[in-house]
Amino acid sequence: MALTTPAMGRPTLPPPPPASAPPAPRRAVTSPAWRHFDPLLLLATVAVTLIGVLMVYSATRYPQELAGGNPKYYLERQAIWAGLGIAAFLLTLVFDYRRYLLWAPVLYGGTVLMLAGALVIGHRVLGAQSWIQVGPFQFEPSEFAKVTLILSLAALLSSRKGQLSVKSLLVVLGLAVVPFLLIFKEDALGSAIVLGIVLVGMLLMGGTKALHMALLTVLAIVAIAGVLQSGLLKQYQKDRLTTFLHAPTGLSQGTASSLNPYAKTIEYNLDQSKAAIADGGLYGKGLFHGHLTDLSYVPNQSTDFIFTAAAEQFGFAGSALLLALFALIVWRSWRAAALARDLAGTLICIGVLCMIMFQVFENVGMTMGIMPVAGITLPFMSYGGSAMLVDWVALGLVQNVRMRRFD
Amino acid sequence: MVVVVCLFATLMGRLWFLQVAEANVPAIQQVTSQGLETVYIPAPRGDIFSRNGALLAGNHIEQVVEVQPDAVTEHPAIVGELAAVLDTSVKQVKAALDNPQYSPYQPVPVATGVPASVALSISENQKLLPGVTVTAAPVRYYPYGSLTANIVGYVTQITGKEYSAVKGQICAKGVPCYTTTSEVGQAGVEASMEQYLRGVPGREVLDVNAQGQVLGVASYTPPVAGDNIVLSISLADQKAAMTALADWTKVARTQLGVTSGHNYRSTGAAMVVENPHNGQLLALATYPDYNDNNFVGGISYKKWAYYNNPTNNYPLEDRPISWAGATGSTFKLITATAALDFGVRSPYYMYNDTGGITVGGQFFRDNAGVAAGPVDLQTALTISDDAYFYSLGYDLWKLWAGGKGHPEYLQKIAAEYGLGNLSGVQLPGESYGIVPSQQVFNREHQQYPKAYPHPYFEPGQEIQEAIGQGQDEVTPLQLADAYSAFANGGTLYVPRIALAVEKQGTNARPNGKIVKLYTPQVKDRVQMPSATDQAIMTSGFEGVTSNPQGTAYGAFTRFPLSRIPVAGKTGTAQVGPNFSQVGWPAYVQNTSVFTSFAPASAPRFVVDAFFAQSGYGACAAAPAVVQEYYTLFGLAKHGLPATVTSTPPPGC
């Protein structure tokens, strides 16, 4: 994330409110907060979420039916998650974001506790021990860590007023490293990487000096090289991360039967993913006519590889439109960051922007074989409750900042 | 913001590359088409009918027990249950299921021709046997079995080698003619008319998910049944010919071969009945025969061993077309035609037979050493005078060797009569035969310098050839073609086994639309002598049956020659020990040959017969031909008398 590009420009920060100004009369002269709500941002996100629900259904209805289950099982669950996500979004809007910043230390502490808890009592899913069972639901603390970290960093960085000394920088890094290491320990590598990206983006926006940033970059490179060499990463993680670098394999064929050892490999998953995307062509096969989607040829299609379902059924035209919707979300988040009334608001928006942007690029790039397979979900679309809730809450924070820009 | 734009541009670019730019790369197309499994449904094979509409090869419906392959993976207990129901071993059921020739998405046949009770118990116990179905499948059968086996042939499931040779053949758009489980004609008309009989397989495209489960049918094209073939064969004539061969083989085996001192072994026989005016074959008989029904569903090892054991005289041979042997004196037709054509000798010239001729110090002796005295052409044909034809052979050789640019007249006429070449009959396994000539000798010398130390075409070779001995090799069909050409005034036809190819009709009657009609096809024109000279030759041939001096007079004493004059020629071919087959004893016996056309004045039929290891032409072949004429002319409405079927002619 080369956010240091000078051409990027810097969002105009609103002048800090005079400390002495009494809040009450100010409120009286401004219009209600909802007048500054961004409908475009909400519409784009709702559209993406609905497409996601439909795609989850298209990718799961046949396997469900064949297994003797309810073909609408995943459709219903995902729709419920989407509804809960939107409810969480609305809930997030109720309180001024600055109140959340006050609660940041508590949120941060709670998150670290949950992450540690997941390590102790968590479930192991797809290699990652990052799930906590609560009643009938499993949830993933590492997903929630994203949004609490954004809030915590925003609170901390904004308190330094854009002037980051070495000491403050170290405090910020220390704050970020704890959940990062816990998540890393849980093998939820993808979430850890997202945290790292969010950190970088927010540091840049939070006024880190260029020299410090350069030093950090060098450090990060050394650390990554060290991790790859040291054996801290498990082999499957390394395989996932490096598969996309290999020359194209002979595209895989044959069914994913137990007789085909190739079917369990990450190359197979990638080949099938690319095949499904290629099958879409210019205009796609049409909704519920995705050949490879219907026949469940892409492993993990309803979760990490949900983009392939859209790409096969809607083709280049449809998936380009989908990417445009994501771009719209990113752009409106950028606008919110630019319009925010204070540095904390800007930092929140930038953090969310980085999170969504990186996840979209990494996830879609992964399905097309230009990014490593890192277990990162596609925001608002991949099947799963925790991610859906967190994505909507993050979006709620952005709207919150925008809505209250004159408060 | 620039970064964001760059990232989205990267994704868009890659998306375009994958979905539009590279979408037509074959490897991509192959992988995107996975999940579509194509299964081909065999087409019902066309029927084969005789010229009178008798069914010679058809399909009947049999109950076939089939198993869905994924059912066995899910419920392994099926195998045991199935073995119990079918009353076979578990091992056999497993072997049938593991047949790699079937697609994993196709039901695998486990048992064919199961009785109705078993079919019923399977359908009643569906709970115990999930995925097991009983379906009706067409199975080939041959109603007349061994009577027509050498003509109709048989089918077998395609072998791996055959399949790799034909797998590229396309019968319809995207439909290969053959799959690994196709049945393919292996002999007779089943093989030679394969392209019409096989039909076009149906095509079913199935949606198969990543777990190998069939989700549905994406497309279905029904199979198109093969076309029917109407043969020129008359079932009654064929039956009579097969019977005559069997009857006279039996008689020959009771007779003592004079030169060998043993009873005739009569190891094989062939008979051809041809219409001289269009080349249509009415009967094509062989002895011994085989039953083509034995090949349906795979021949048993025991049967296969029996058919290939030399002591059983190779029943799978189709002798009328594949057996090329010395013809004996029946060849004199060619010698006489050549002599008259090229003015070598007048038919009225009286040649003085002194018991043989001497050429180059070698004495060529008459048969039995009898000196016939002065003979003209007609008499020479009637009594089959060897010296007359020896001297003609020598004269023809001298003309060629005389250095005045004369071609090999005898060989030229032999070729025009169709000898030494494929007749073109639509049956597999036909032999070329040999007409010895300088060219043949050169070729043989070059190919096998040890066996043929010098390439010279000696006069003795031509002298032998003139009476159908030596290296002369002719098939029974070629001989029938030659006599047909003489009988019709010089037109050599391609012998026809099939009359027409027709689309399937209703109720399996051969009344469908005609696809192809086999009209008479002229292969060559024989340079014939004048009509008068032809009449002299015909008289000579007539004398063979009607003149007390004729060589086959004895065989025709019981035939109504006054109403149906028969022109014939006997042949008694001495076969050298070199031509003996594996498993034969040291002695060899003559081939009994007889060829004829009748009525002599207006020929309707040409009939010839060859009996291996059976002595004089007059003793086995001639009476067998007489027996065939009884049927051809409707003389035996109430069965043939024993005198016709089993009493050797006088003098035998």
Side-chain angles (χ1 to χ4, degrees), chain A residues 9 16 48 54 68 70 94 100 137 143 179 186 195 227 256 260-261 273 281-282 286 331 342 386 393 402:
Chain A
V48 168
L54 214 52
N70 171 14
V94 170
Y100 299 136
F137 299 108
E143 286 290 335
E186 285 165 6
L195 284 191
V227 162
N260 185 358
S273 166
L282 194 52
W331 173 51
D342 53 16
S386 302
V393 166
R402 189 187 162 98

Side-chain angles (χ1 to χ4, degrees), chain B residues 42-66:
Chain B
R45 212 172 160 80
D47 294 334
I48 301 174
F49 295 94
S50 79
R51 71 183 299 132
N52 312 105
L55 184 69
L56 304 183
N59 306 302
H60 61 182
I61 302 301
E62 275 190 11
Q63 304 287 347
V64 178
V65 178
E66 293 180 331

Side-chain angles (χ1 to χ4, degrees), chain B residues 318-592:
Chain B
D318 189 11
R319 287 177 163 78
I321 61 167
S322 70
W323 172 24
T327 55
S329 302
T330 55
F331 194 87
K332 288 169 183 168
L333 163 73
I334 287 92
T335 315
T337 308
L340 292 174
D341 277 350
F342 302 105
V344 177
R345 186 180 294 172
S346 154
Y348 309 108
Y349 175 79
M350 283 298 201
Y351 173 82
N352 189 20
D353 175 12
T354 56
I357 68 167
T358 304
V359 173
Q362 192 184 350
F363 183 61
F364 296 88
R365 198 171 60 100
D366 273 355
N367 187 34
V370 179
V375 285
D376 62 1
L377 177 64
Q378 183 184 338
T379 314
L381 284 171
T382 298
I383 67 168
S384 199
D385 188 81
D386 287 342
Y388 185 94
F389 289 95
Y390 284 146
S391 59
L392 273 182
Y394 187 44
D395 289 351
L396 286 162
W397 183 87
K398 280 190 291 189
L399 268 177
W400 166 71
K404 295 228 171 66
H406 289 285
E408 293 178 295
Y409 287 124
L410 186 61
Q411 286 76 3
K412 181 177 184 291
I413 294 301
E416 284 175 6
Y417 271 118
L419 306 188
N421 200 352
L422 294 182
S423 72
V425 70
Q426 269 190 303
L427 287 171
E430 198 188 358
S431 293
Y432 277 87
I434 299 174
V435 177
S437 64
Q438 178 63 68
Q439 204 189 341
V440 168
F441 270 55
N442 262 332
R443 196 182 63 220
E444 285 179 343
H445 171 67
Q446 275 159 20
Q447 278 178 346
Y448 312 102
K450 272 193 182 159
Y452 303 95
H454 60 84
Y456 314 125
F457 190 50
E458 305 279 359
Q461 301 291 352
E462 183 114 337
I463 290 165
Q464 292 274 10
E465 186 177 345
I467 64 152
Q469 291 291 162
Q471 286 192 39
D472 203 40
E473 282 186 23
V474 177
T475 67
L477 180 60
Q478 284 172 338
L479 191 67
D481 291 346
Y483 274 81
S484 291
F486 177 78
N488 69 31
T491 305
L492 181 72
Y493 287 101
V494 173
R496 284 286 188 222
I497 190 70
L499 296 180
V501 179
E502 298 178 334
K503 287 268 170 235
Q504 291 273 343
T506 46
N507 301 325
R509 295 284 301 167
N511 54 357
K513 195 174 141 254
I514 289 174
V515 177
K516 190 173 169 68
L517 200 61
Y518 293 100
T519 48
Q521 188 186 343
V522 175
K523 188 169 155 61
D524 207 344
R525 303 242 178 226
V526 187
Q527 182 182 345
M528 293 300 276
S530 69
T532 329
D533 290 357
Q534 281 182 56
I536 290 169
M537 284 172 71
T538 306
S539 304
F541 290 133
E542 266 191 88
V544 170
T545 60
S546 59
N547 188 320
Q549 282 187 300
T551 48
Y553 179 77
F556 280 85
T557 46
R558 47 214 159 185
F559 192 79
L561 286 175
S562 53
R563 283 185 289 148
I564 307 161
V566 177
K569 185 73 200 79
T570 55
T572 306
Q574 294 160 359
V575 285
N578 283 348
F579 301 104
S580 67
Q581 298 177 41
V582 180
W584 279 23
Y587 60 87
V588 279
Q589 296 161 325
N590 294 338
T591 308
S592 168

